[in-house]
Amino acid sequence: MRMSLRLILLLVITVTLISILFALYQVREDTHARQSDLEKRAQVLAESLQETVDPLWMRGARGSLKRIVERFGNQERLDGVAIYDIQGRPTLVTPSLATRLGIEPPLIDRSVFEGHGWGHFFGSGRNSAHVYAVPIRADGSIVGALAVFHDASYIDDQNTKLWRDTFMHVLMQMLLIVAITLLVVRWSVERPVARLAQWLQDLRAGTIASNSELATEQVLRPLAREVTHLATSLQVARASAEEEARLREAADSLWTAERLRVFQETALEGSRLVVISNREPFMHVHRGSSVEALSPASGLVTAMEPVLRACAGTWIAHGAGDADRETVDAHDRLGVPPEAPAYTLRRVWLTAQQEERYYYGLANEGLWPLCHIAHTRPVFRAEDWEAYREVNAKFAEAVLEEIADVEHPTVLVQDYHFALLPRLIKGSRPDARVTIFWHIPWPNPEAFGICPWQRELLEGLLGADLIGFHIQSHCNNFLETIDRALESRIEWERFAVTKGGHVTSVRPFPISVDFKDNIPSHSNGYLSVRSERAALNGFNFQADYLGIGVDRLDYTKGIPERFRGIERFLEKHPSYQGRFTHVQIGAPSRTHIHRYQDLIADVEAEAERINQRFQTRQWKPIVFLKGHHNHDEIEPYYRMADLCLVTSLHDGMNLVAKEFVASRSDEEGVLILSLFAGASRELEDALIVNPYDTDQVAEAIRCALQMDSKEKRERMRRMRRVVKHYNIYRWAANLIGAVSEIRLEPIQRAKAAVAQSDASTTVQSSY
Ligand code: G6P
């Protein structure tokens, strides 16, 4: 209210000032115009009378002169006429003139007797008047003067009227302004603000969720958006404070985003985390005329994104979206997540050829099949290797730029796209603590040995102070590969390699997901499981039992094998025909590569074949949903499925298995998990299968559907305990903790180590 009063006052003062200035100007102009008009009229009259008076004076016709003087009295605005002798004394005066101006008319200026016409305003208010005098001539000499007097008080009267009108206008305007402002304030400010306040009150009381829509007027929309973010942050803060309190109460040691944030601040002594990966957490793409931010299907992104949100560092990645360049600043940076920026994304640009050779070529046709033993033959091309080196060097430049002003920076390199990066960084910044986490399996030395550039890759990796894998057996394979391929000292008892005086530790850090104890309720936006199932009927099928599979369409995921397992199950247990449906969500991936195109065709053909074999009018055994689905779209499927099938032929960890477990707050659902996924080491309560064994997969499906609900709950509860306890925040804390404990070698020695391994590479490659 006080604000609206101030607003009104300001408006009123402004309008009044403007009106007064305008009126002043107008009064000045009008006065000037009227005065000069009067002056002109007086002059014309005086001069025309002069012509009559001059001969009469000469003739001494005093009677005629007197008549003229009397005739000109009391006419409209004309007060009268006076005739003066040469001494300037009035001799003949219109009688009414003397009555209005006093006993005698005023004296006139001497200049008139020298032959000039003379005009002058005098008096004020009701007595305001104007005189115009001209000389009277007889025989060529000046003998007196004739003066014409006008009443000028009407000019003042009109000015007074103008001021009165202006005052009335200002008054009306003020009343109008006050009324309109009050109305506007009431409709567009007070009401929406009251609604906002009510919404905040409801939020505080917990009767609505922070993500519930706040309807408000256009003008308040930016404010509403900010308030919504604030409310969400407050709710998250409240939830994590409650969670912390619960944990303290339970003397538990669960890791949360907040705990990780505090931990990393201490461990890294305030310096910001720098993460590098090929895949970016948010990719901007054109959708028609607008630009959309996508979160790509990637286990790496699923895992690292909450970590970066908690730690607020910098994530350097390839800008692969077709609208990526439009959304960065002049330094190729942007704040993400887009709706509430928490950390910095720095994009690195690659040419189409670099992407083709480094990403599709060496990384995904070479290293990916090399490390996953899934019976797809790796392809190694010299030009791909060149591009791989080039891109690693390009990323190194970006990293060095980002850490230029940081003392002892901590750098977390991610995955097989950047095997050369640790050494490139360490070579320029020996004071940096460098880690690389390998998200995919590491094969045995024989398998890895077929790579023509294994030595360069291994040496690049050994530039790191710490190398992380998901499981112990990948660490073992790595050390064995080093043992076979390089001159170095391996310490098996502490899992470390020393090469050229530089020590690299090799340790397992099983990656995980952000575990939220999300109890579904209408207020947090989750649909009930029942309505989710009903919604699925939109796909036009009916089923009593539901299986779910969520994968990138990759040959390592064992999707055709999974379908064949389902086929065998239906064959062996026909009572489930018409009752069990498997929904397969598949995100197309790396589709430039023939093997991936073949795989998609294969998956589609297998689904089609099996559906043809069993389907009825209302039911089909496999629903294949090809396309990118975000987490919110996938979550309901996890929550309503009776079982989740993860049948990777080989997988570093597989976070779908953990996401499924994390989303089952109802403690229902059975996980069928491949023996060859890293996750099977931790999730022992899943039904563990060999995906190549079709009968075993079929049997696991039967077992899952017939498992008694007590056992189901116990298994799920135990798995949830594992994922909850070993969540992504604990993973990051372990990794950051291990990096921060690294004792940096003296700079000279570190430089010498890099130089020495450069020399040995040259010698070796000259064979
Ligand atoms: C695996 C890799 C990640 C990669 C993801 C998706 O999880 O370890 O590095 O991001 O697959 O693959 P893409 O090639 O689409 O990034």
Side-chain angles (χ1 to χ4, degrees):
M1 195 61 205
R2 185 179 266 178
M3 210 195 92
S4 36
L5 277 179
R6 268 200 220 140
L7 184 70
I8 293 171
L9 203 65
L10 194 71
L11 277 169
V12 164
I13 291 174
T14 315
V15 170
T16 311
L17 275 177
I18 291 173
S19 303
I20 289 175
L21 283 176
F22 185 71
L24 260 176
Y25 173 77
Q26 219 179 340
V27 164
R28 254 190 54 190
E29 289 296 298
D30 283 8
T31 308
H32 184 71
R34 284 193 190 106
Q35 282 181 342
S36 64
D37 178 54
L38 180 60
E39 202 148 57
K40 261 190 220 120
R41 269 197 287 135
Q43 188 182 356
V44 170
L45 182 63
E47 282 167 6
S48 66
L49 275 176
Q50 188 184 26
E51 284 169 19
T52 319
V53 168
D54 277 0
L56 289 175
W57 184 282
M58 231 168 29
R59 287 206 316 267
R62 194 173 164 83
S64 304
L65 285 174
K66 194 164 179 245
R67 268 195 307 279
I68 290 174
V69 166
E70 277 164 8
R71 186 152 46 91
F72 279 93
N74 263 345
Q75 291 188 12
E76 194 201 1
R77 289 188 192 153
L78 178 65
D79 275 348
V81 174
I83 293 176
Y84 293 77
D85 64 14
I86 191 72
Q87 270 79 41
R89 285 185 309 255
T91 54
L92 288 171
V93 177
T94 309
S96 58
L97 183 66
T99 328
R100 213 177 82 78
L101 298 180
I103 314 294
E104 281 209 328
L107 295 178
I108 52 170
D109 195 87
R110 288 301 318 164
S111 63
V112 181
F113 298 101
E114 283 153 22
H116 304 290
W118 171 77
H120 174 61
F121 282 92
F122 63 95
S124 63
R126 298 242 54 83
N127 292 325
S128 168
H130 177 260
V131 54
Y132 193 85
V134 288
I136 302 173
R137 285 187 175 84
D139 293 334
S141 38
I142 295 170
V143 289
L146 168 77
V148 176
F149 289 85
H150 275 96
D151 176 5
S153 64
Y154 74 96
I155 297 179
D156 279 351
D157 287 351
Q158 282 182 350
N159 284 346
T160 312
K161 185 170 174 298
L162 191 73
W163 278 116
R164 211 174 34 237
D165 290 353
T166 307
F167 174 75
M168 287 312 284
H169 269 131
V170 172
L171 196 71
M172 295 295 288
Q173 275 170 349
M174 277 197 261
L175 288 176
L176 255 172
I177 289 172
V178 171
I180 292 174
T181 314
L182 283 177
L183 273 177
V184 168
V185 167
R186 194 154 176 72
W187 283 95
S188 58
V189 182
E190 276 181 17
R191 280 164 57 120
V193 167
R195 257 205 311 269
L196 190 68
Q198 182 61 47
W199 181 81
L200 281 169
Q201 222 171 53
D202 292 347
L203 200 69
R204 197 152 38 86
T207 48
I208 56 161
S210 62
N211 56 4
S212 67
E213 187 82 358
L214 168 63
T216 190
E217 275 67 6
Q218 183 75 27
V219 67
L220 288 183
R221 221 156 269 162
L223 178 66
R225 247 196 318 271
E226 283 313 309
V227 171
T228 310
H229 287 325
L230 194 68
T232 312
S233 322
L234 283 177
Q235 274 205 337
V236 170
R238 185 158 72 181
S240 62
E242 281 168 7
E243 175 75 353
E244 292 289 328
R246 244 198 327 271
L247 296 179
R248 268 199 304 281
E249 188 69 11
D252 204 335
S253 60
L254 272 198
W255 279 86
T256 59
E258 183 56 18
R259 185 170 167 194
L260 174 65
R261 188 184 63 75
V262 174
F263 172 80
Q264 64 101 31
E265 266 172 20
T266 320
L268 305 183
E269 291 166 356
S271 88
R272 281 158 71 93
L273 206 60
V274 177
V275 170
I276 305 100
S277 75
N278 172 73
R279 185 57 69 204
E280 55 183 339
F282 293 94
M283 185 190 254
H284 285 95
V285 290
H286 286 115
R287 287 269 185 271
S289 58
S290 60
V291 168
E292 218 175 79
L294 284 186
S295 176
S298 153
L300 181 156
V301 169
T302 307
M304 295 305 298
E305 220 275 319
V307 172
L308 264 286
R309 278 189 200 220
C311 298
T314 298
W315 186 329
I316 305 175
H318 170 211
D322 62 9
D324 273 358
R325 284 181 197 260
E326 293 161 36
T327 41
V328 290
D329 66 12
H331 304 283
D332 299 329
R333 300 187 187 118
L334 72 157
V336 284
E339 68 284 1
Y343 61 95
T344 306
L345 171 60
R346 157 84 192 265
R347 285 176 172 148
V348 174
W349 314 112
L350 302 181
T351 64
Q353 193 185 63
Q354 279 171 333
E355 189 180 4
E356 188 61 39
R357 294 181 173 174
Y358 134 85
Y359 169 74
Y360 289 106
L362 196 95
N364 287 316
E365 281 193 284
L367 297 178
W368 179 268
L370 178 75
C371 291
H372 289 89
I373 314 285
H375 313 290
T376 288
R377 199 172 163 161
V379 180
F380 296 112
R381 302 179 196 95
E383 61 270 25
D384 291 351
W385 170 241
E386 262 322 299
Y388 187 84
R389 287 167 43 140
E390 214 174 277
V391 171
N392 271 246
K394 195 170 204 178
F395 270 80
E397 260 174 46
V399 176
L400 293 174
E401 228 174 86
E402 294 294 331
I403 60 175
D405 303 326
V406 190
E407 214 184 319
H408 301 306
T410 301
V411 179
L412 302 188
V413 183
Q414 308 293 312
D415 237 349
Y416 58 100
H417 309 86
F418 297 119
L420 306 181
L421 204 46
R423 186 151 161 263
L424 290 172
I425 298 169
K426 204 69 177 177
S428 298
R429 289 293 303 267
D431 67 317
R433 293 189 162 89
V434 180
T435 298
I436 181 160
F437 190 82
W438 199 259
H439 288 256
I440 61 176
W442 191 278
N444 59 51
E446 291 76 22
F448 198 80
I450 67 166
C451 175
W453 305 289
Q454 73 155 335
R455 298 181 57 79
E456 288 87 338
L457 291 168
L458 294 174
E459 277 172 355
L461 287 167
L462 289 184
D465 300 295
L466 175 69
I467 303 180
F469 292 98
H470 289 301
I471 55 176
Q472 185 62 51
S473 69
H474 297 158
C475 300
N476 299 353
N477 285 349
F478 179 73
L479 285 192
E480 280 167 17
T481 311
I482 296 282
D483 203 12
R484 290 266 181 107
L486 294 183
E487 287 268 325
S488 61
R489 183 157 61 88
I490 296 180
E491 293 169 79
W492 285 95
E493 61 287 0
R494 64 174 185 127
F495 268 78
V497 185
T498 309
K499 175 144 177 58
H502 174 65
V503 183
T504 305
S505 301
V506 179
R507 303 253 300 274
F509 297 92
I511 207 161
S512 195
V513 292
D514 180 8
F515 185 99
K516 292 195 182 81
D517 256 331
N518 44 6
I519 313 298
S521 82
H522 65 279
S523 65
N524 65 9
Y526 282 106
L527 300 165
S528 71
V529 171
R530 208 188 224 168
S531 59
E532 282 164 1
R533 278 228 186 202
L536 251 192
N537 284 334
F539 291 113
N540 216 1
F541 71 87
Q542 288 170 358
D544 298 335
Y545 302 103
L546 199 73
I548 178 74
V550 180
D551 304 83
R552 262 186 321 105
L553 290 170
D554 194 297
Y555 53 84
T556 59
K557 303 295 180 186
I559 304 169
E561 287 76 3
R562 183 179 311 171
F563 288 178
R564 289 193 276 277
I566 294 165
E567 180 183 26
R568 180 63 56 85
F569 161 71
L570 293 171
E571 218 170 66
K572 284 171 82 170
H573 306 283
S575 64
Y576 284 96
Q577 289 178 21
R579 295 171 65 208
F580 173 79
T581 289
H582 176 75
V583 174
Q584 179 61 49
I585 294 179
S589 168
R590 307 174 191 167
T591 44
H592 285 210
I593 301 173
H594 285 308
R595 180 67 185 90
Y596 284 79
Q597 294 164 7
D598 294 346
L599 185 262
I600 295 177
D602 195 15
V603 169
E604 278 170 340
E606 278 300 82
E608 182 60 19
R609 182 183 64 75
I610 297 164
N611 281 341
Q612 288 293 339
R613 181 168 169 199
F614 296 104
Q615 75 188 18
T616 63
R617 272 165 154 252
Q618 277 92 38
W619 170 83
K620 58 179 173 177
I622 296 172
V623 174
F624 178 36
L625 304 179
K626 187 170 86 175
H628 183 271
H629 292 70
N630 64 32
H631 183 77
D632 290 344
E633 288 163 331
I634 296 171
E635 179 90 357
Y637 290 98
Y638 282 149
R639 300 181 53 75
M640 72 182 122
D642 295 285
L643 57 90
C644 175
L645 273 157
V646 176
T647 53
S648 318
L649 305 182
H650 204 181
D651 225 335
M653 170 56 67
N654 194 294
L655 291 183
V656 167
K658 290 191 174 178
E659 281 192 321
F660 172 67
V661 168
S663 63
R664 295 315 294 252
S665 49
D666 59 353
E667 296 177 343
E668 295 283 343
V670 178
L671 175 65
I672 297 177
L673 179 58
S674 165
L675 178 60
F676 307 119
S680 66
R681 308 294 193 282
E682 292 168 88
L683 302 177
E684 291 170 354
D685 281 282
L687 299 181
I688 307 289
V689 294
N690 173 355
Y692 293 96
D693 185 339
T694 310
D695 279 299
Q696 204 182 48
V697 175
E699 179 53 16
I701 296 173
R702 184 206 58 78
C703 181
L705 296 181
Q706 294 179 358
M707 190 179 286
D708 89 31
S709 81
K710 186 159 170 273
E711 183 180 349
K712 245 194 257 184
R713 276 175 179 273
E714 271 166 14
R715 281 175 181 262
M716 186 50 86
R717 200 171 295 154
R718 282 197 294 264
M719 288 195 287
R720 283 176 63 77
R721 222 175 288 143
V722 171
V723 180
K724 181 174 179 175
H725 193 69
Y726 205 101
N727 61 13
I728 188 61
Y729 302 115
R730 180 183 285 265
W731 174 86
N734 284 354
L735 195 67
I736 293 169
V739 189
S740 67
E741 277 163 23
I742 291 166
R743 284 193 15 235
L744 291 168
E745 293 136 14
I747 291 195
Q748 290 316 322
R749 217 170 88 198
K751 283 199 164 154
V754 173
Q756 191 178 330
S757 69
D758 275 341
S760 78
T761 314
T762 324
V763 172
Q764 298 292 341
S765 55
S766 64
Y767 271 85

